[in-house]
Amino acid sequence: MKCIFEYASLLGKIFIESDGKFLTGLWFEYPFDEKKHAENSGGGVKKISADSIDSFPVISETCRWLDIYFSGRNPDFMPEFRIENLTPFRKLVVDEMLKIPFGATTTYGEIAKNIAAKKGLEKMSAQAVGGAVGWNPVCIVVPCHRVLGSDGSLTGYGGGIKNKIALLKIEGIAAEKFTLPKSRKFM
């Protein structure tokens, strides 16, 4: 059975999901994110309280990681996570996102170029990369917020564009230099 803990961050509630051994989900209280995770959870989720967090070491460790992160520092450890339903392509994209350093960004196109080079392909679809980035169930830890459009636009983010901007600012990135996507409202 999976368990969920509500972490109170500067940006609002963040849900931490675990299978008891690994971090399996991390998302903001935001309609798109919540809907995506509810569909992927498969039911059988137990909410845990702050009083019982010590019984769930990976959740406790993830809270410590988030505390360090939200203080504006790069945590020097990574909570153990497992991503379910990870296709080979999604794994390549996750591996590329994990290479993006704290305080830096990349583009969907750059990730596509890197994957194409690894696979010996002439090119790879940035849109396909975007789909895999948007699917990421472990936000912040797997830093999908650091991926931008090729024109510097703050393209979609399951946790909301406002949270994407805030996460970039926490990392010392001047998010004001990026543009908002024309097709989306600023949330």
Side-chain angles (χ1 to χ4, degrees):
M1 174 180 279
K2 290 191 178 179
C3 54
I4 288 185
F5 178 74
E6 289 183 16
Y7 175 87
S9 80
L10 321 161
L11 307 177
K13 285 183 195 172
I14 294 178
F15 295 98
I16 302 170
E17 181 185 71
S18 172
D19 62 6
K21 184 171 182 181
F22 297 101
L23 172 66
T24 56
L26 186 73
W27 67 93
F28 285 96
E29 179 182 45
Y30 183 75
F32 178 77
D33 249 8
E34 286 184 276
K35 182 176 187 268
K36 174 176 73 174
H37 289 279
E39 290 169 357
N40 291 332
S41 73
V45 176
K46 174 186 172 186
K47 286 192 175 187
I48 61 168
S49 67
D51 298 337
S52 61
I53 195 168
D54 291 335
S55 301
F56 301 90
V58 74
I59 291 181
S60 181
E61 179 182 40
T62 303
C63 288
R64 193 165 63 86
W65 190 95
L66 289 168
D67 289 345
I68 293 166
Y69 179 86
F70 281 114
S71 75
R73 295 176 294 143
N74 185 18
D76 62 358
F77 66 95
M78 179 75 75
E80 267 195 276
F81 65 89
R82 182 178 71 205
I83 299 177
E84 298 167 344
N85 304 313
L86 190 61
T87 65
F89 179 71
R90 287 175 176 168
K91 179 166 181 2
L92 288 170
V93 174
V94 167
D95 290 346
E96 288 296 315
M97 286 190 288
L98 289 170
K99 292 177 188 175
I100 310 167
F102 181 91
T105 60
T106 193
T107 66
Y108 298 97
E110 284 300 313
I111 290 175
K113 282 182 201 171
N114 293 344
I115 292 172
K118 278 184 186 169
K119 295 181 72 113
L121 300 172
E122 193 173 312
K123 63 181 181 175
M124 168 77 55
S125 166
Q127 287 82 9
V129 167
V133 169
W135 172 86
N136 175 26
V138 185
C139 79
I140 308 173
V141 171
V142 177
C144 51
H145 63 280
R146 296 179 189 151
V147 184
L148 308 171
S150 60
D151 61 355
S153 64
L154 296 166
T155 56
Y157 184 64
I161 296 292
K162 279 181 18 181
N163 286 335
K164 184 170 187 165
I165 292 168
L167 294 171
L168 294 172
K169 285 181 178 180
I170 286 168
E171 295 185 26
I173 298 170
E176 298 79 24
K177 70 181 180 180
F178 304 118
T179 59
L180 292 172
K182 292 176 177 64
S183 62
R184 297 193 188 255
K185 291 181 181 175
F186 180 65
M187 296 181 219

